[in-house]
Amino acid sequence: MSVIVMKPGLLTSLQDGGRLGYAALGVGRAGAMDWPAWRLANALVDNTKGEAALEFTLTGPTLRFEQPTVIALTGAPVDARVGDQTLPGWTRCVLPAGSVLQLGGMRHGCRGYLAIRGGFATAAVLGSQSTDLNARIGPFDGRSLQSGDRLEPGAGDPWPPLPSAKTLQVMRWGLDPQPWFDYGRTPLALWRGHHFDQLDDTSQQALFKATFALSKDSNRVASRLDGQRLNLRRPLELISEASVPGTLQLPPSGQPILLQAEAPVTGGYPRIGQLAAVDLSRLAQRRPGDTVCFRETTLDEAAQRLAARRQRLQRLLDHIERRLESA
């Protein structure tokens, strides 16, 4: 019994925690852009094995569910409907067989996540079900979803209400998205990269004072930033070095590029900064035209913030598990 894609939405793909450990082979991570939103969507449907979810951008897909299905929506707020009934986000819903879920546009933010109980039964490539759209690796030959695609649900543990689910059911409680979604547009934390000192004095100051705009050319590989041109003191001739999501590069155009989930594993542009990993999910929710600015941080502070978020997230995951057990 399948989940049928009636309309694919914009850049909808299967994503999990990423394809880690293969950079030496030239294979990047991919994976969910907003990692906490992906993880919490899975938790709400009681998935605990890193199951893949659907990630969609700006506009969501329309899907038909041939069997009763437990779902959760997280990430950016999206207009979600089954027939004339509106579905809330950040909670769990049970869809009866034959339901058509319509996910429309996002009021703000950029990426949403749809998890289903048991995940999706697609083959893992190098240990991950993530779709690397740039490298063409993963489900559906590494492409985004298209109309007519069929997704088979994975084998989750039985959940008693499903056999008798004939009407849409919404769980009585949900999560507050506020701590996990960047409503405030506060500055992103960046520490100085290996080539920061090669920027001229004006550009060094501008990096932490200027406001940039996310370019329409941004994608899962990188966020391109338009705004004040940054300049080097003198041209640099560099060999390619390792790069990771969050690396801030400066191409000859003078407009910075922040690498994202599908970042190449090497690159030859000057590395003028590194975004704190804890802020990658916040960057992922900026849409074209949104502003981006940076505050200076250190490696130690970035590590402490990441550890603190992991602790908060784990406490919430434990709370969700207890609530579901008592439901």
Side-chain angles (χ1 to χ4, degrees), residues 243-307:
S243 58
V244 296
T247 298
L248 184 65
Q249 298 180 323
L250 186 66
S253 67
Q255 301 299 318
I257 298 174
L258 249 174
L259 297 184
Q260 280 280 16
E262 294 185 14
V265 298
T266 61
Y269 292 142
R271 293 154 175 74
I272 59 174
Q274 181 68 38
L275 188 72
V278 71
D279 283 343
L280 277 170
S281 59
R282 298 176 57 218
L283 176 64
Q285 292 296 357
R286 305 288 171 93
R287 61 200 296 162
D290 282 350
T291 58
V292 176
C293 57
F294 302 107
R295 68 171 181 86
E296 188 167 5
T297 189
T298 64
L299 178 58
D300 286 343
E301 184 201 9
Q304 291 171 7
R305 289 183 61 216
L306 183 61

Side-chain angles (χ1 to χ4, degrees), residues 54-115:
L54 291 181
E55 177 185 278
F56 48 93
T57 307
L58 295 176
T59 301
T62 297
L63 308 168
R64 185 170 76 247
F65 295 81
E66 294 187 332
Q67 67 184 37
T69 309
V70 184
I71 73 164
L73 290 164
T74 61
V78 61
D79 293 324
R81 290 184 168 274
V82 173
D84 58 359
Q85 188 165 350
T86 300
L87 266 64
W90 298 85
T91 188
R92 179 166 70 179
C93 304
V94 182
L95 306 184
S99 294
V100 175
L101 173 63
Q102 297 176 291
L103 300 177
M106 298 172 180
R107 294 181 290 278
H108 47 271
C110 187
R111 292 178 172 88
Y113 294 86
L114 169 67

Side-chain angles (χ1 to χ4, degrees), residues 42-251:
N42 269 321
L44 285 166
V45 296
D46 207 17
N47 289 341
T48 60
K49 300 177 182 178
E51 287 87 347
L54 291 181
E55 177 185 278
F56 48 93
T57 307
L58 295 176
T59 301
T62 297
L63 308 168
R64 185 170 76 247
F65 295 81
E66 294 187 332
Q67 67 184 37
T69 309
V70 184
I71 73 164
L73 290 164
T74 61
V78 61
D79 293 324
R81 290 184 168 274
V82 173
D84 58 359
Q85 188 165 350
T86 300
L87 266 64
W90 298 85
T91 188
R92 179 166 70 179
C93 304
V94 182
L95 306 184
S99 294
V100 175
L101 173 63
Q102 297 176 291
L103 300 177
M106 298 172 180
R107 294 181 290 278
H108 47 271
C110 187
R111 292 178 172 88
Y113 294 86
L114 169 67
I116 70 169
R117 183 76 177 94
F120 296 93
T122 59
V125 178
L126 297 178
S128 172
Q129 291 178 293
S130 286
T131 306
D132 190 323
L133 298 168
N134 186 56
R136 290 291 193 176
I137 298 174
F140 299 99
D141 295 323
R143 63 164 172 79
S144 59
L145 295 187
Q146 298 176 0
S147 297
D149 285 340
R150 301 175 74 93
L151 297 160
E152 301 301 326
D157 296 331
W159 195 57
L162 282 181
S164 61
K166 298 185 181 302
T167 60
L168 191 150
Q169 303 171 24
V170 178
M171 192 163 59
R172 295 182 179 179
W173 59 271
L175 304 180
D176 178 9
Q178 184 70 42
W180 308 103
F181 189 80
D182 185 18
Y183 286 97
R185 305 294 186 205
T186 53
L188 305 177
L190 185 82
W191 73 82
R192 299 184 181 194
H194 181 62
H195 300 112
F196 175 82
D197 291 340
Q198 300 299 319
L199 293 172
D200 62 30
D201 293 342
T202 299
S203 297
Q204 288 185 18
Q205 295 179 21
L207 181 58
F208 295 109
K209 291 183 178 180
T211 297
F212 301 91
L214 198 70
S215 168
K216 62 180 178 59
D217 294 326
S218 301
N219 52 32
R220 283 179 47 85
V221 176
S223 294
R224 298 177 179 272
L225 306 181
D226 294 334
Q228 181 169 339
R229 177 187 172 93
L230 303 181
N231 298 298
L232 301 171
R233 297 183 186 278
R234 62 188 64 83
L236 292 178
E237 293 186 9
L238 303 172
I239 60 172
S240 291
E241 299 177 1
S243 58
V244 296
T247 298
L248 184 65
Q249 298 180 323
L250 186 66

